[in-house]
Amino acid sequence: MFRVGSRAACIACRSLVSTNMGVRFRIPLQKLHPLSRAIHHRYSGNGNPQRPPHRTAARYFTSMSRLPVRPPKPPPGSGGHSYQQQRNFLVARLAARLLKLRYILLGTAVGGGYTAKKTYEEWKDMLPDFSEYNWVIPDFVWDLSEQIDLDKLAKALPEREELAKLLPDFDKIGENFSFLKNLLSSGVSFGSEVKGASGLHPLLETSGDSPLRAPGSSASASQDVSDKQYKKTTDKEKIDQLQEELLHTQLKFQRMLERLEKENKELRKVVLQKDDKGIHQRKVKKSLIDLYSEVLDILSDYDANYNTQDHLPRVVVVGDQSAGKTSVLEMIAQARIFPRGSGEMMTRSPVKVTLSEGPHHVAIFKDSGREFDLTKEEDLAALRHEIELRMRKSVKEGQTVSSETISLSVKGPGIQRMVLVDLPGVISTMTAGMALDTKETIFSISKAYMQNPNAIILCIQDGSVDAERSIVTDLVSQMDPQGKRTIFVLTKVDLAEKNLASPSRIQQIVEGKLFPMKALGYFAVVTGKGSSAESIESIKDYEEDFFQNSRLLRDGMLKAHQVTTKNLSLAVSDCFWKMVRESVEQQADVFKASRFNLETEWKNNYPRLRELDRNELYEKAKNEILDEVISLSQVTPQHWEAMLQKRLWERVSTHVIENIYLPAAQTMDSGTFNTTVDIKLKQWTDKQLPNKALEVAWETLQEEFARFIAEYKGKDQDDIFDKLKEAVKDESIKRHKWNERAMDSLRVIQHNALEDRSITDKPQWDAAIQFMEETLQSRLKDTESMIRDMVGPDWKQRWMYWKNRTPEQHIRNETKNELERLLKLHDDHTAYLANDEVTTVRKNLEGRSVEVDPVLIKDTWHQLYRRHFLQKALSHCNLCRRGFYYYQRHFVDSELECNDVVLFWRIQRMLVITANTLRQQLTNTEVRRLEKNVKEVLDDFGEDMEKKTHLITGRRVQLAEDLKKVREIQEKLEAFIEALHKEK
């Protein structure tokens, strides 16, 4: 018996490490609980050495199998069992069963941890393989991945405490073990303990040991029931535990997937922005409705430019103001996407909404890359705000509505594919703040969209108001008198049923008997309780509840297929695609014929020119202008200095001669001459000369830039760019500002140059004399020309060309002759005529019957004396040609004085130094700044489409634009038709 008990105990111990429990390792007996080892060694000491090992016995019995085992035969000669032996055996069996419970709990805990790990691996395998999307990630990201800091990555992993939360609570298991230990040591009777703890009874029973069975069939039946109850309780606990672990794992990986999706979205944005560096996105296959929407977007721009209207199908949503148009569209789009207000006009321009089915509920504008998540209230508010801003921006000053279309795409699960256009609501009376033509503008916009013979008119009528107040029904009946493309929608049916005394009136409306208009179908919908805070789901639930309980549907006034926005969207979508299939190929043929006509016109009028549209022509002109600006930096320094020196002298020569040289030359000695010259030069340098020099430099730069713009020597010179180049030149010069900090340094340089009087060699002396002589001869020529204009033609011109003098010219001629006689008598006369001399001249002229005014005498004297002085100065200049020797000796012991030559040398040297300084500033600073301004102007013009349209004009440009648009439309239509046929 002891051997049998020991064998059973060993089998029970071995069964705790069965492979069926999901444990991958075996627990040696040395590591079992000390109480289990004590029982094992106590009853296995006298065992038979030939018996099979315990491992073999454990293989056929586990705690989970519950298979019956044949009771071993008692050894011969045993006779019977005493009471003491039975008691010892029962205590041993009780201890074995209790120890088995401990290991079952421990095995369950380990198995739960393994199950959680296995569940984690399964969820990890269920993740999508992102290796197929490696093309999205740029090469530099893979290069960075090789340099990832593993320490930082290890820090980012979950902490040990977080991982410990996934393991079972070993403290509770230890408390259970302590309870069992106390139970064994307390000496509680076996029977009472079993009765008090029915949950432990199945563990204490061994089917193979008959002495442990309670006698009688009733005990056996109750034991089987307890086994089943325990098994059910254990399985339920395991299921609950596994479900809890599974939920925890799902939440964990859901957060991980959301983070990966967010990172992937941001990475795709970066990749698309880096497209100019050679990273090209893979061509994504577009849906059928997206292809059709692109065609409508291009046609919208084409129609706006040419004031035309294409005939491709659209769903045009029209109705009276506040009739519920926008609410119906939102129910079809399954999102509150439009701005809302209390009774005021919110839809101020047409909004084209392209609806399509997709995995995520998002919205995106045609000209924007931002996606609005329509499941988030923050994105919905941002979308409504953006639509409102675009509407207000499209409305011109002084207007209330606009015909400019706002294009929006909405994708989401369960959304019907179609293109809808929400139009401003039709009004009957204008309120304060509206433009005077608001009513007519709304009518014209609505008619423009409804005139399309292939447009589906979704006529929205408010059911809560009297039908006689409707305006839109008359307008729709004018556009579609037969009702072949009109769908009538009655909104706010809940209010109509509540307010109307006769519900049959609603039946008359939906049967088409009340309004004069005709329609393909009639629908009745409910778009909420009127609160802007209602969600789409709550509105749907309210609509379904209303129609389920409504007497309209219960009494047969409305049919089931005529109610709810869901049925409406299905019907509109079917009608839309039916119209598309019937008309799209005909429209494609129209654009094909238009393309042929335009190409024929181009071949006949511009056979040798490329078809460049406005943007391509602008890019070509931009490159030419930039080449011309770059040519400014290739101008030689000698050319710059020569131009600057010439233009500066032309600007200051009058001041030098009239205000410096002539006053100083009136003095009697050289000391006074030099003093006067120095004073006047100092005053001139401090006040006027630097400003004049900078003005000359700026004008020179402008003239050179204009010359390069006008004289471009390229082979592909095109006069179509003249207007653009002139505008770019003017705007660049207008933006360019000269660096005024150079004025102070230029003033110092000019002052030092004018103070120098030392002529070092004979060539400089000769150059100064030549400069002086050229200047005086130019002035003498101008003076003689003025005198000829004053006195009129001479005798030769009068006789040969039949010209006569005027009376004034005759008086001036007589005055000139009298003053010339005075100059011959007084060769050294001063520059001013005395009063007695004026009187003498006047009396002499009166003796010849010539009445003359004293002012005319002085004016004539000024010009005559100027000529006389210049002639004497030229003679003196010729004498000074050999005066360099006397200049070196400071004109000591010499009657020749050439201080005027020294003055002109100083002026000439100042011009050379100033031209050199300005040239350096031009080439080093101003040319580059002008080139930068030109680039900025070109960029600004390139972004302004109105500017480009104004500057690049002509039939050739317009024809190229038409060809580009028509070809694009035709290609898009052909691609759409091909996809449409494939879908069939």
Side-chain angles (χ1 to χ4, degrees), residues 479-700:
M479 296 294 103
D480 184 24
Q482 302 298 325
K484 295 181 178 180
R485 51 189 181 89
T486 301
I487 297 177
F488 183 86
V489 181
L490 185 66
T491 61
K492 306 178 184 179
V493 182
D494 53 342
L495 299 179
E497 183 184 28
K498 180 179 179 181
N499 297 332
L500 290 179
S502 176
S504 61
R505 190 174 176 84
I506 299 178
Q507 182 180 6
Q508 293 177 357
I509 294 175
V510 297
E511 289 179 355
K513 298 179 180 179
L514 189 62
F515 290 109
M517 60 170 288
K518 299 179 181 179
L520 286 172
Y522 296 84
F523 289 87
V525 298
V526 175
T527 55
K529 300 178 182 180
S531 174
S532 59
E534 288 181 289
S535 65
I536 295 296
E537 295 298 328
S538 63
I539 296 175
K540 286 183 179 179
D541 295 340
Y542 174 72
E543 184 182 39
E544 292 179 0
D545 293 341
F546 169 76
F547 283 116
Q548 286 178 0
N549 302 321
S550 174
R551 57 176 296 191
L552 297 173
L553 198 62
R554 186 173 59 251
D555 296 343
M557 298 181 185
L558 294 177
K559 298 179 181 179
H561 68 274
Q562 290 182 308
V563 297
T564 71
T565 52
K566 181 178 181 181
N567 293 334
L568 171 64
S569 61
L570 290 172
V572 173
S573 178
D574 292 340
C575 187
F576 169 76
W577 285 108
K578 180 181 179 182
M579 189 72 74
V580 167
R581 291 185 175 91
E582 292 176 353
S583 60
V584 66
E585 293 187 0
Q586 180 182 0
Q587 296 301 312
D589 293 338
V590 172
F591 283 101
K592 185 176 181 180
S594 178
R595 173 179 176 178
F596 175 78
N597 296 335
L598 293 173
E599 288 178 345
T600 304
E601 182 181 356
W602 182 274
K603 291 177 182 179
N604 294 332
N605 295 328
Y606 312 102
R608 298 183 180 181
L609 296 178
R610 291 178 57 195
E611 298 176 7
L612 300 178
D613 60 8
R614 184 171 282 107
N615 291 330
E616 293 171 338
L617 288 171
Y618 182 81
E619 290 299 323
K620 182 180 178 182
K622 179 179 178 180
N623 295 331
E624 288 186 6
I625 294 173
L626 292 177
D627 292 341
E628 294 159 7
V629 175
I630 293 175
S631 301
L632 278 176
S633 60
Q634 299 176 357
V635 177
T636 61
Q638 295 80 6
H639 182 72
W640 280 118
E641 293 182 9
M643 289 191 302
L644 290 169
Q645 185 174 347
K646 178 183 178 182
R647 296 182 185 280
L648 181 60
W649 176 239
E650 291 176 355
R651 182 65 60 86
V652 302
S653 60
T654 302
H655 181 84
V656 171
I657 298 300
E658 300 294 336
N659 298 332
I660 298 178
Y661 175 60
L662 289 179
Q666 303 301 320
T667 58
M668 302 304 296
D669 54 13
S670 61
T672 307
F673 177 87
N674 293 331
T675 302
T676 304
V677 166
D678 290 343
I679 293 174
K680 290 186 176 294
L681 286 178
K682 181 67 168 58
Q683 294 175 350
W684 182 47
T685 306
D686 292 340
K687 296 180 180 180
Q688 300 181 9
L689 184 57
N691 292 328
K692 296 289 184 183
L694 291 182
E695 290 176 3
V696 167
W698 176 223
E699 292 173 1
T700 303

Side-chain angles (χ1 to χ4, degrees), residues 775-884:
T775 302
L776 295 177
Q777 286 178 353
S778 175
R779 293 291 167 177
L780 180 60
K781 186 183 296 183
D782 295 341
T783 304
E784 289 179 347
S785 176
M786 293 183 65
I787 293 174
R788 285 195 300 269
D789 294 339
M790 290 172 58
V791 301
D794 55 5
W795 65 270
K796 184 178 181 181
Q797 292 177 338
R798 291 199 304 271
W799 283 96
M800 294 183 64
Y801 300 104
W802 296 83
K803 293 182 178 181
N804 295 320
R805 291 172 177 167
T806 62
E808 183 180 358
Q809 290 176 344
H810 177 72
I811 294 174
R812 284 189 178 274
N813 183 58
E814 294 295 333
T815 305
K816 179 183 77 77
N817 294 334
E818 188 66 26
L819 292 174
E820 284 179 348
R821 284 193 292 270
L822 178 62
L823 279 175
K824 287 181 181 180
L825 293 175
H826 305 282
D827 187 64
D828 296 332
H829 200 287
T830 61
Y832 301 100
L833 197 63
N835 291 332
D836 55 347
E837 292 175 333
V838 172
T839 303
T840 302
V841 171
R842 182 179 180 183
K843 289 181 178 181
N844 293 336
L845 291 174
E846 287 178 354
R848 294 198 294 269
S849 302
V850 177
E851 296 292 335
V852 63
D853 186 71
V855 178
L856 187 143
I857 295 174
K858 291 181 179 180
D859 188 25
T860 307
W861 166 259
H862 177 72
Q863 298 299 330
L864 291 176
Y865 181 81
R866 183 185 180 87
R867 183 181 65 178
H868 176 70
F869 173 80
L870 292 175
Q871 290 173 350
K872 288 179 62 177
L874 282 173
S875 301
H876 181 70
C877 183
N878 290 327
L879 294 176
C880 290
R881 289 183 181 275
R882 61 180 185 277
F884 181 68

Side-chain angles (χ1 to χ4, degrees), residues 158-384:
E159 297 295 336
R160 185 179 303 173
E161 291 77 5
E162 297 181 1
L163 294 176
K165 294 178 180 180
L166 300 176
L167 299 177
D169 191 351
F170 291 102
D171 294 335
K172 293 183 178 180
I173 297 175
E175 293 177 359
N176 294 332
F177 289 161
S178 300
F179 169 74
L180 293 175
K181 184 176 180 181
N182 295 332
L183 181 64
L184 293 175
S185 61
S186 62
V188 180
S189 63
F190 172 76
S192 61
E193 192 66 34
V194 171
K195 293 179 181 178
S198 60
L200 298 177
H201 186 266
L203 296 175
L204 299 178
E205 179 191 8
T206 304
S207 59
D209 296 333
S210 58
L212 295 180
R213 291 172 179 253
S217 59
S218 61
S220 176
S222 62
Q223 186 173 354
D224 294 338
V225 172
S226 300
D227 289 343
K228 293 180 181 180
Q229 292 178 353
Y230 174 78
K231 187 173 182 180
K232 290 181 180 179
T233 305
T234 306
D235 293 342
K236 184 177 180 181
E237 291 177 355
K238 289 182 179 180
I239 291 173
D240 293 341
Q241 182 180 3
L242 289 177
Q243 287 180 348
E244 184 178 357
E245 293 176 355
L246 182 61
L247 180 61
H248 177 74
T249 308
Q250 287 177 344
L251 293 176
K252 177 181 178 182
F253 282 99
Q254 182 66 25
R255 290 192 295 267
M256 185 180 297
L257 284 175
E258 291 177 356
R259 180 175 58 83
L260 291 176
E261 288 178 358
K262 183 177 180 181
E263 293 177 356
N264 186 31
K265 187 182 295 183
E266 295 295 331
L267 185 59
R268 286 185 63 85
K269 291 181 181 179
V270 174
V271 171
L272 295 177
Q273 292 174 357
K274 298 292 184 180
D275 186 64
D276 54 346
K277 294 186 177 181
I279 305 174
H280 300 283
Q281 59 177 345
R282 184 178 298 178
K283 187 176 181 180
V284 181
K285 183 178 180 181
K286 296 182 179 179
S287 64
L288 193 63
I289 191 65
D290 290 335
L291 292 174
Y292 188 73
S293 180
E294 288 183 358
V295 175
L296 294 182
D297 289 335
I298 300 172
L299 283 174
S300 178
D301 298 336
Y302 184 81
D303 297 339
N305 293 333
Y306 298 96
N307 195 21
T308 61
Q309 180 66 38
D310 64 89
H311 292 164
L312 286 177
R314 298 171 181 82
V315 180
V316 181
V317 185
V318 295
D320 297 333
Q321 184 179 349
S322 301
K325 301 187 294 36
T326 303
S327 299
V328 171
L329 205 156
E330 286 180 338
M331 291 294 293
I332 297 175
Q334 300 181 13
R336 308 298 296 267
I337 60 178
F338 290 102
R340 56 202 67 163
S342 56
E344 61 177 326
M345 177 182 294
M346 299 305 298
T347 306
R348 297 180 178 270
S349 65
V351 181
K352 182 178 76 69
V353 183
T354 303
L355 301 178
S356 60
E357 190 172 8
H360 305 289
H361 203 185
V362 296
I364 186 172
F365 288 98
K366 177 187 71 173
D367 53 353
S368 175
R370 178 184 177 183
E371 282 189 355
F372 296 88
D373 190 350
L374 302 183
T375 60
K376 299 179 179 179
E377 187 58 36
E378 297 83 3
D379 284 17
L380 279 172
L383 177 61
R384 291 192 291 266

